[in-house]
Amino acid sequence: MDSVMRRNPFGVDICCRKGSRSPLQELYNPIQLELSNTAVLHQMRRDQVTDTCRANSALSRKRRVLTPNDLKHLVVDEDHELIYCYVPKVACTNWKRLMMVLTGRGKYSDPMEIPANEAHVSANLKTLNQYSIPEINHRLKSYMKFLFVREPFERLVSAYRNKFTQKYNTSFHKRYGTKIIKRQRKNATQEALRKGDDVKFEEFVAYLIDPHTQREEPFNEHWQTVYSLCHPCHIRYDLVGKYETLEEDSNYVLQLAGVGSYLKFPTYAKSTRTTDEMTTEFFQNISSEHQTQLYEVYKLDFLMFNYSVPSYLKLE
């Protein structure tokens, strides 16, 4: 009994939001007493994160204290007492759309009627860094916190394909492409140095593992580790959703929030989606030395979210 109580710091005392139960109560004190398979699965995912943080504490708790600046990715929904940490390239556009529906107080009903670019306008959603410290702590304690994760190298290939192989992403080509080509390509043409629009995956990887890159500035959010974006060793997430089970996990969150009867995760089959086969293909040309160094960069994400070392890797 003791361990259950310890694991459930949210006893019965968080009560009664507008006469209904909060998502945290639904999650940790369900009305039906036998634990569903889903609840057990999510408990295992939480434990995996906790155990990884503990086992790698030298790595994972480098920084003792979070500052409001670390909380820019945590989107807050006060009406349903939810906090969502968004990770780019893990269905974050659709989840931001859902958060706009949830926080819009009737302004939107169908998430897919919200244009994608609109979902990424920061003013459309409130993030946790905009609150005072006591308000932040209160929300971290009493709201249900969740995030969605994806196999780290598949997410990386997805980011590369989206930002460096699409002609329309000129801001990324200028901001990062030119820098990557300047550093990683011998005898680059003047045009390549000016445009930065033909970065090869090998050059992108070399840039990511270059110690100079990490000293110079934090990674862009599209390839930053989940560990650094969402701080799962400092913030105890109640739910870890996975890209592989995106629909089930998303609808479980919506169900816990009490909106499952009228709001569902948008189903869509994206034909351009980055797959495991594509990822394997991209890694063919990466030397085993670079693969090993890249794995080190994303290692905590692999371990924490229970992704095994990809079979295509030739680690040293």
Side-chain angles (χ1 to χ4, degrees):
M1 185 60 207
D2 185 43
S3 69
V4 175
M5 283 314 292
R6 227 188 15 256
R7 228 183 231 153
N8 173 3
F10 310 106
V12 193
D13 53 12
I14 38 174
C15 197
C16 300
R17 185 177 52 111
K18 299 185 277 306
S20 67
R21 292 158 53 82
S22 76
L24 272 190
Q25 286 173 309
E26 290 293 346
L27 179 63
Y28 292 109
N29 300 321
I31 304 257
Q32 77 292 0
L33 275 173
E34 83 287 352
L35 277 179
S36 67
N37 293 345
T38 312
V40 173
L41 168 76
H42 285 286
Q43 182 62 57
M44 285 165 65
R45 288 184 187 172
R46 280 193 293 277
D47 290 346
Q48 175 79 21
V49 172
T50 309
D51 295 347
T52 306
C53 292
R54 211 172 279 137
N56 297 276
S57 59
L59 263 174
S60 65
R61 295 192 74 98
K62 269 198 197 104
R63 321 231 320 280
R64 278 278 157 266
V65 190
L66 293 182
T67 63
N69 204 28
D70 293 311
L71 306 174
K72 288 194 180 102
H73 273 246
L74 279 75
V75 176
V76 180
D77 169 9
E78 298 195 357
D79 295 341
H80 303 89
E81 303 190 350
L82 299 173
I83 291 176
Y84 160 56
C85 184
Y86 71 90
V87 177
K89 308 315 301 169
V90 194
C92 89
T93 306
N94 279 344
W95 257 107
K96 284 180 175 178
R97 285 170 161 143
L98 279 172
M99 293 300 279
M100 283 173 70
V101 174
L102 289 167
T103 56
R105 305 203 167 166
K107 187 173 170 192
Y108 312 98
S109 58
D110 174 8
M112 292 319 272
E113 73 192 20
I114 302 171
N117 57 343
E118 186 95 349
H120 297 293
V121 173
S122 54
N124 285 333
L125 290 166
K126 196 159 184 192
T127 48
L128 197 56
N129 58 315
Q130 297 168 19
Y131 292 86
S132 70
I133 304 277
E135 288 174 324
I136 289 172
N137 287 329
H138 164 70
R139 282 162 183 73
L140 283 174
K141 195 157 86 213
S142 56
Y143 286 16
M144 185 173 82
K145 304 170 294 297
F146 67 98
L147 77 169
F148 279 81
V149 300
R150 182 177 187 176
E151 202 279 339
F153 285 170
E154 193 184 288
R155 177 176 165 243
L156 194 64
V157 169
S158 175
Y160 167 77
R161 289 178 63 221
N162 179 239
K163 297 304 170 200
F164 295 109
T165 68
Q166 305 288 343
K167 285 288 169 246
Y168 60 82
N169 263 319
T170 47
S171 61
F172 266 81
H173 304 158
K174 284 260 185 291
R175 168 95 171 71
Y176 295 99
T178 53
K179 191 184 288 183
I180 293 171
I181 289 169
K182 186 173 167 199
R183 270 196 220 155
Q184 308 301 338
R185 187 179 301 178
K186 292 186 174 63
N187 314 325
T189 65
Q190 284 307 305
E191 187 184 23
L193 289 167
R194 192 181 79 248
K195 282 189 169 168
D197 65 354
D198 65 344
V199 171
K200 296 186 178 67
F201 187 64
E202 299 87 289
E203 295 169 330
F204 180 51
V205 168
Y207 161 81
L208 293 173
I209 58 181
D210 182 347
H212 182 221
T213 304
Q214 311 205 20
R215 276 198 304 272
E216 177 183 57
E217 59 181 349
F219 277 3
N220 176 276
E221 61 174 27
H222 290 82
W223 49 87
Q224 180 58 284
T225 59
V226 176
Y227 164 73
S228 302
L229 290 174
C230 296
H231 314 287
C233 291
H234 296 76
I235 294 172
R236 186 172 161 75
Y237 285 91
D238 303 295
L239 278 185
V240 176
K242 296 200 152 186
Y243 193 71
E244 297 75 34
T245 47
L246 180 58
E247 261 177 75
E248 299 99 289
D249 294 349
S250 297
N251 288 327
Y252 184 52
V253 172
L254 295 170
Q255 178 199 322
L256 291 165
V259 297
S261 58
Y262 59 88
L263 200 53
K264 294 272 182 277
F265 188 77
T267 52
Y268 66 109
K270 229 171 136 189
S271 55
T272 56
R273 224 202 90 188
T274 302
T275 61
D276 185 47
E277 296 72 46
M278 272 180 213
T279 306
T280 306
E281 205 50 38
F282 274 92
F283 272 85
Q284 291 306 303
N285 305 329
I286 307 296
S287 69
S288 61
E289 184 190 4
H290 279 189
Q291 289 187 359
T292 306
Q293 289 171 286
L294 191 68
Y295 180 76
E296 281 304 311
V297 174
Y298 291 93
K299 184 175 168 179
L300 278 177
D301 282 8
F302 275 99
L303 295 173
M304 208 168 274
F305 306 118
N306 209 16
Y307 288 109
S308 47
V309 177
S311 53
Y312 54 78
L313 282 199
K314 319 178 276 280
L315 295 184
E316 301 211 312

